[in-house]
Structure formats: structure tokens, C-alpha cells
Amino acid sequence: MGALPVLYSFRRCPYAMRARLALAVSQQAHELREVVLRSKPADLLAASPKGTVPVLVLPGGEVIDESLDIMRWALGRHDPAQWLSPLQALQQDMDALIAANDGEFKQHLDRYKYPNRYPQESGASPADFALHHRSEAAHWLAQLDARLKGGWLMGAQASLADMALLPFVRQFAHTDADWFAAQPWPSLQGWLAAFEGSELYAGVMQKQPP
């Protein structure tokens, strides 16, 4: 058996979760290396000096260090669930949803979950600052809820967009689970619950020794 691609990952990181989901569904054999973020291994930093996960190092030495690029690489090799070509989906629609998630929503999510990391923005009241960004993020989540009436973001089956967004919506939901559960978003809540109850999710969230 030849050398395997090596994935540097951190279990709870939503970007790394994306990569693991795509590698799992594509049945791409790989070596998973769980990283301790406060003590990053030299091999990771040599491969990708920015030092963030996920990083995929291919047997030939090529490095892929963006989560969406890893997803597309894996699915380009084998896409049995048709995440890249769901029913009713246009590529530009998927790209637009992912861009909105990774841009404006991620900015609000970070400030809601970690308000103390933004002292120059939050001023004297980090709690009010966090609630403001929760409210801003909620506008977009309500739009996702409306879009999910068909079960998935792109219609009747899961797509790259669903699997790229779910780890971040999960992070938002768990910041205040009671508040999230109380919102009028039944389709969004059901979508997240189905994901967290799936065999795919259970498989990629197994704890690994560092």
C-alpha cells in the first residue's frame, strides 16, 4: 500500500470538520493527525506556515490548506452522494451560499461566540456586543430556514453547500442551545438535528489522540 494523504485536523474546528466530512463521504483513505493548536507540530508548519487547520498533504508533496479546496479535491476523485451536483442546484448558488457563510455570517458568529476577543469593537459591554451579532446572524439563519423547506439547501438531497455550512450553524447553535431551540426555525433545527444524528457525523467526530 502506498503512502496516504495526511490530514492535519482539530476535532471541533468547523473548517476541519468540513474536510473530514468530504474525505469520509468520498471514501478517500487518509491518515488523520489531530493537532493541539497551542503546540502545533513542526510538520504542519513546514507544510503550511499559516498554521491553521485543515491542511491536507498529498503523497507527492502537494499541500491543500483551504477547507473548501480539500472538499472539492476529495469529491472530485469520488462523489458517490453527488454533493457537487445535487438535484435542482446551480454551482453559482452553492458558491454564493458558502461565500455568505464564510464571510458575513462567520464574522457575526465569531463576535457572538467570542466577544472578548474583540475589545476594540465591543467597548464596555461585551455581552451587548455579542447579542447584537447574534441578532445580525439570526437574519441569515431565518433565510436558511425558509430555504430548507425542501429538506436541504439545494432541494431534495444534500450538497456541498449543506456540508460546508452545517459545521458553522452547529457552532452557532451550541453557543446558546436553549436560545437556538426557542427560535421559529423548524426546518433549520431539523436539518441540524438530522446532521448531528447521522452516521457520517458520528464517524468524523470520533475523538483521536493528538
Side-chain angles (χ1 to χ4, degrees), residues 4 23 25 37 69 74 76 78 81-82 85 87 107 109 113 122 126 133 139 164 173 177 183 186 199 202 205 210:
L4 293 175
L23 288 167
V25 81
L37 295 181
D69 292 341
H78 188 44
Q82 294 186 297
S85 53
L87 302 175
Q107 291 178 7
L109 169 60
K113 187 173 177 64
S122 62
H133 285 282
H139 296 309
Q183 302 313 299
E199 290 185 14
M205 292 303 286

mmCIF file of all heavy atoms in Angstrom, residues 4 23 25 37 69 74 76 78 81-82 85 87 107 109 113 122 126 133 139 164 173 177 183 186 199 202 205 210:
data_model
loop_
_atom_site.group_PDB
_atom_site.id
_atom_site.type_symbol
_atom_site.label_atom_id
_atom_site.label_comp_id
_atom_site.label_asym_id
_atom_site.label_seq_id
_atom_site.Cartn_x
_atom_site.Cartn_y
_atom_site.Cartn_z
ATOM 1 N N LEU A 4 -0.318 7.492 2.116
ATOM 2 C CA LEU A 4 -1.650 8.091 2.143
ATOM 3 C C LEU A 4 -1.552 9.600 2.293
ATOM 4 O O LEU A 4 -0.596 10.115 2.879
ATOM 5 C CB LEU A 4 -2.456 7.533 3.321
ATOM 6 C CG LEU A 4 -2.832 6.061 3.279
ATOM 7 C CD1 LEU A 4 -3.532 5.664 4.587
ATOM 8 C CD2 LEU A 4 -3.710 5.755 2.086
ATOM 9 N N LEU A 23 -13.825 13.940 3.000
ATOM 10 C CA LEU A 23 -12.940 12.778 2.885
ATOM 11 C C LEU A 23 -13.687 11.498 3.248
ATOM 12 O O LEU A 23 -13.486 10.448 2.630
ATOM 13 C CB LEU A 23 -11.722 12.965 3.792
ATOM 14 C CG LEU A 23 -10.713 14.013 3.318
ATOM 15 C CD1 LEU A 23 -9.728 14.346 4.434
ATOM 16 C CD2 LEU A 23 -9.960 13.532 2.078
ATOM 17 N N VAL A 25 -17.116 10.943 3.076
ATOM 18 C CA VAL A 25 -18.158 10.553 2.124
ATOM 19 C C VAL A 25 -17.550 10.110 0.791
ATOM 20 O O VAL A 25 -18.124 9.273 0.088
ATOM 21 C CB VAL A 25 -19.175 11.702 1.917
ATOM 22 C CG1 VAL A 25 -18.657 12.730 0.930
ATOM 23 C CG2 VAL A 25 -20.534 11.163 1.465
ATOM 24 N N LEU A 37 -3.678 22.814 19.135
ATOM 25 C CA LEU A 37 -3.468 24.115 18.496
ATOM 26 C C LEU A 37 -2.429 24.972 19.212
ATOM 27 O O LEU A 37 -1.757 25.786 18.583
ATOM 28 C CB LEU A 37 -4.802 24.856 18.392
ATOM 29 C CG LEU A 37 -5.849 24.198 17.485
ATOM 30 C CD1 LEU A 37 -7.122 25.030 17.438
ATOM 31 C CD2 LEU A 37 -5.305 23.987 16.078
ATOM 32 N N ASP A 69 -11.169 23.741 -0.702
ATOM 33 C CA ASP A 69 -10.321 23.091 -1.708
ATOM 34 C C ASP A 69 -10.131 21.603 -1.386
ATOM 35 O O ASP A 69 -10.093 20.760 -2.291
ATOM 36 C CB ASP A 69 -8.963 23.790 -1.791
ATOM 37 C CG ASP A 69 -9.063 25.190 -2.358
ATOM 38 O OD1 ASP A 69 -10.079 25.506 -3.019
ATOM 39 O OD2 ASP A 69 -8.138 25.996 -2.131
ATOM 40 N N ALA A 74 -11.378 16.009 -2.720
ATOM 41 C CA ALA A 74 -11.869 14.673 -2.371
ATOM 42 C C ALA A 74 -13.080 14.297 -3.224
ATOM 43 O O ALA A 74 -13.147 13.184 -3.774
ATOM 44 C CB ALA A 74 -12.223 14.619 -0.885
ATOM 45 N N GLY A 76 -13.928 15.522 -6.070
ATOM 46 C CA GLY A 76 -13.551 15.403 -7.473
ATOM 47 C C GLY A 76 -13.011 14.027 -7.814
ATOM 48 O O GLY A 76 -13.091 13.582 -8.963
ATOM 49 N N HIS A 78 -14.056 11.185 -6.028
ATOM 50 C CA HIS A 78 -15.168 10.239 -5.840
ATOM 51 C C HIS A 78 -16.287 10.971 -5.115
ATOM 52 O O HIS A 78 -16.077 11.480 -4.008
ATOM 53 C CB HIS A 78 -14.688 9.031 -5.022
ATOM 54 C CG HIS A 78 -15.695 7.923 -4.926
ATOM 55 N ND1 HIS A 78 -16.424 7.471 -6.004
ATOM 56 C CD2 HIS A 78 -16.103 7.168 -3.865
ATOM 57 C CE1 HIS A 78 -17.219 6.482 -5.620
ATOM 58 N NE2 HIS A 78 -17.051 6.294 -4.326
ATOM 59 N N ALA A 81 -22.289 10.523 -3.178
ATOM 60 C CA ALA A 81 -23.525 11.160 -2.718
ATOM 61 C C ALA A 81 -23.916 12.361 -3.578
ATOM 62 O O ALA A 81 -24.909 13.027 -3.290
ATOM 63 C CB ALA A 81 -23.373 11.599 -1.257
ATOM 64 N N GLN A 82 -23.133 12.635 -4.617
ATOM 65 C CA GLN A 82 -23.397 13.721 -5.570
ATOM 66 C C GLN A 82 -23.492 15.084 -4.872
ATOM 67 O O GLN A 82 -24.336 15.907 -5.219
ATOM 68 C CB GLN A 82 -24.677 13.438 -6.363
ATOM 69 C CG GLN A 82 -24.570 12.225 -7.277
ATOM 70 C CD GLN A 82 -25.796 12.053 -8.160
ATOM 71 O OE1 GLN A 82 -26.899 11.837 -7.668
ATOM 72 N NE2 GLN A 82 -25.591 12.179 -9.458
ATOM 73 N N SER A 85 -23.111 17.857 -7.382
ATOM 74 C CA SER A 85 -24.132 18.038 -8.423
ATOM 75 C C SER A 85 -25.505 17.628 -7.902
ATOM 76 O O SER A 85 -26.125 16.702 -8.426
ATOM 77 C CB SER A 85 -23.776 17.212 -9.654
ATOM 78 O OG SER A 85 -23.552 15.849 -9.293
ATOM 79 N N LEU A 87 -29.568 17.665 -7.067
ATOM 80 C CA LEU A 87 -30.747 17.987 -7.861
ATOM 81 C C LEU A 87 -31.117 19.451 -7.656
ATOM 82 O O LEU A 87 -30.983 19.996 -6.561
ATOM 83 C CB LEU A 87 -31.920 17.091 -7.444
ATOM 84 C CG LEU A 87 -31.691 15.582 -7.566
ATOM 85 C CD1 LEU A 87 -32.886 14.820 -6.999
ATOM 86 C CD2 LEU A 87 -31.442 15.178 -9.005
ATOM 87 N N GLN A 107 -18.270 36.254 10.512
ATOM 88 C CA GLN A 107 -17.887 37.430 11.301
ATOM 89 C C GLN A 107 -18.836 37.612 12.485
ATOM 90 O O GLN A 107 -18.401 37.862 13.613
ATOM 91 C CB GLN A 107 -17.894 38.677 10.420
ATOM 92 C CG GLN A 107 -16.787 38.704 9.379
ATOM 93 C CD GLN A 107 -16.859 39.928 8.484
ATOM 94 O OE1 GLN A 107 -17.656 40.833 8.714
ATOM 95 N NE2 GLN A 107 -16.037 39.950 7.451
ATOM 96 N N LEU A 109 -20.746 35.242 13.822
ATOM 97 C CA LEU A 109 -20.592 34.067 14.685
ATOM 98 C C LEU A 109 -19.413 34.241 15.630
ATOM 99 O O LEU A 109 -19.526 33.992 16.844
ATOM 100 C CB LEU A 109 -20.408 32.817 13.817
ATOM 101 C CG LEU A 109 -19.967 31.533 14.517
ATOM 102 C CD1 LEU A 109 -20.964 31.100 15.575
ATOM 103 C CD2 LEU A 109 -19.768 30.406 13.489
ATOM 104 N N LYS A 113 -19.835 34.340 19.663
ATOM 105 C CA LYS A 113 -19.266 33.259 20.481
ATOM 106 C C LYS A 113 -18.076 33.728 21.317
ATOM 107 O O LYS A 113 -17.898 33.269 22.452
ATOM 108 C CB LYS A 113 -18.851 32.100 19.568
ATOM 109 C CG LYS A 113 -18.396 30.844 20.307
ATOM 110 C CD LYS A 113 -18.163 29.702 19.344
ATOM 111 C CE LYS A 113 -17.630 28.456 20.057
ATOM 112 N NZ LYS A 113 -18.597 27.911 21.027
ATOM 113 N N SER A 122 -16.036 45.873 20.958
ATOM 114 C CA SER A 122 -17.138 45.616 21.893
ATOM 115 C C SER A 122 -17.329 46.724 22.917
ATOM 116 O O SER A 122 -18.404 46.840 23.506
ATOM 117 C CB SER A 122 -16.925 44.288 22.610
ATOM 118 O OG SER A 122 -15.737 44.319 23.384
ATOM 119 N N PRO A 126 -19.229 43.695 26.433
ATOM 120 C CA PRO A 126 -19.100 42.545 25.537
ATOM 121 C C PRO A 126 -20.397 41.748 25.404
ATOM 122 O O PRO A 126 -20.674 41.200 24.338
ATOM 123 C CB PRO A 126 -17.995 41.716 26.189
ATOM 124 C CG PRO A 126 -17.201 42.691 26.989
ATOM 125 C CD PRO A 126 -18.202 43.698 27.491
ATOM 126 N N HIS A 133 -24.522 40.804 17.603
ATOM 127 C CA HIS A 133 -24.067 39.956 16.494
ATOM 128 C C HIS A 133 -24.900 38.682 16.383
ATOM 129 O O HIS A 133 -25.088 38.173 15.268
ATOM 130 C CB HIS A 133 -22.573 39.664 16.639
ATOM 131 C CG HIS A 133 -21.737 40.844 16.264
ATOM 132 N ND1 HIS A 133 -21.493 41.200 14.962
ATOM 133 C CD2 HIS A 133 -21.127 41.800 17.032
ATOM 134 C CE1 HIS A 133 -20.752 42.299 14.925
ATOM 135 N NE2 HIS A 133 -20.530 42.683 16.168
ATOM 136 N N HIS A 139 -30.751 36.923 11.201
ATOM 137 C CA HIS A 139 -31.438 37.279 9.950
ATOM 138 C C HIS A 139 -31.093 36.278 8.846
ATOM 139 O O HIS A 139 -31.968 35.856 8.076
ATOM 140 C CB HIS A 139 -31.044 38.697 9.505
ATOM 141 C CG HIS A 139 -31.459 39.776 10.460
ATOM 142 N ND1 HIS A 139 -32.742 39.892 10.927
ATOM 143 C CD2 HIS A 139 -30.760 40.797 11.016
ATOM 144 C CE1 HIS A 139 -32.827 40.943 11.745
ATOM 145 N NE2 HIS A 139 -31.633 41.492 11.820
ATOM 146 N N ALA A 164 -20.822 22.301 3.865
ATOM 147 C CA ALA A 164 -19.922 23.422 4.143
ATOM 148 C C ALA A 164 -20.503 24.339 5.215
ATOM 149 O O ALA A 164 -19.757 24.952 5.984
ATOM 150 C CB ALA A 164 -19.654 24.209 2.864
ATOM 151 N N ALA A 173 -25.375 27.257 17.047
ATOM 152 C CA ALA A 173 -26.447 26.678 17.860
ATOM 153 C C ALA A 173 -25.970 26.315 19.252
ATOM 154 O O ALA A 173 -26.690 26.520 20.243
ATOM 155 C CB ALA A 173 -27.020 25.448 17.154
ATOM 156 N N ALA A 177 -27.674 26.896 23.361
ATOM 157 C CA ALA A 177 -28.557 25.880 22.783
ATOM 158 C C ALA A 177 -30.023 26.146 23.112
ATOM 159 O O ALA A 177 -30.910 25.908 22.280
ATOM 160 C CB ALA A 177 -28.142 24.490 23.274
ATOM 161 N N GLN A 183 -36.085 29.363 18.830
ATOM 162 C CA GLN A 183 -36.337 30.196 17.652
ATOM 163 C C GLN A 183 -37.321 29.525 16.685
ATOM 164 O O GLN A 183 -37.410 28.298 16.628
ATOM 165 C CB GLN A 183 -35.022 30.510 16.929
ATOM 166 C CG GLN A 183 -33.998 31.226 17.801
ATOM 167 C CD GLN A 183 -34.603 32.392 18.562
ATOM 168 O OE1 GLN A 183 -35.110 33.344 17.966
ATOM 169 N NE2 GLN A 183 -34.575 32.313 19.883
ATOM 170 N N PRO A 186 -38.024 25.763 12.429
ATOM 171 C CA PRO A 186 -38.145 24.305 12.497
ATOM 172 C C PRO A 186 -37.343 23.571 11.425
ATOM 173 O O PRO A 186 -36.782 22.499 11.688
ATOM 174 C CB PRO A 186 -39.650 24.061 12.344
ATOM 175 C CG PRO A 186 -40.174 25.297 11.662
ATOM 176 C CD PRO A 186 -39.330 26.422 12.182
ATOM 177 N N GLU A 199 -24.770 8.911 10.832
ATOM 178 C CA GLU A 199 -23.565 8.088 10.957
ATOM 179 C C GLU A 199 -22.340 8.833 10.446
ATOM 180 O O GLU A 199 -21.238 8.681 10.978
ATOM 181 C CB GLU A 199 -23.740 6.783 10.186
ATOM 182 C CG GLU A 199 -24.743 5.819 10.797
ATOM 183 C CD GLU A 199 -24.786 4.492 10.059
ATOM 184 O OE1 GLU A 199 -23.866 4.230 9.256
ATOM 185 O OE2 GLU A 199 -25.740 3.724 10.288
ATOM 186 N N ALA A 202 -21.185 11.141 13.217
ATOM 187 C CA ALA A 202 -20.582 10.355 14.301
ATOM 188 C C ALA A 202 -19.189 9.877 13.920
ATOM 189 O O ALA A 202 -18.260 9.892 14.742
ATOM 190 C CB ALA A 202 -21.486 9.168 14.651
ATOM 191 N N MET A 205 -16.570 12.745 13.999
ATOM 192 C CA MET A 205 -16.392 13.399 15.296
ATOM 193 C C MET A 205 -15.802 12.466 16.354
ATOM 194 O O MET A 205 -15.733 12.827 17.538
ATOM 195 C CB MET A 205 -17.728 13.958 15.783
ATOM 196 C CG MET A 205 -18.242 15.133 14.948
ATOM 197 S SD MET A 205 -17.072 16.527 14.847
ATOM 198 C CE MET A 205 -17.242 17.197 16.505
ATOM 199 N N PRO A 210 -3.948 13.153 20.171
ATOM 200 C CA PRO A 210 -3.146 14.148 19.438
ATOM 201 C C PRO A 210 -1.897 13.518 18.836
ATOM 202 O O PRO A 210 -1.357 12.582 19.389
ATOM 203 C CB PRO A 210 -2.767 15.180 20.500
ATOM 204 C CG PRO A 210 -3.517 14.834 21.731
ATOM 205 C CD PRO A 210 -4.066 13.447 21.582
#
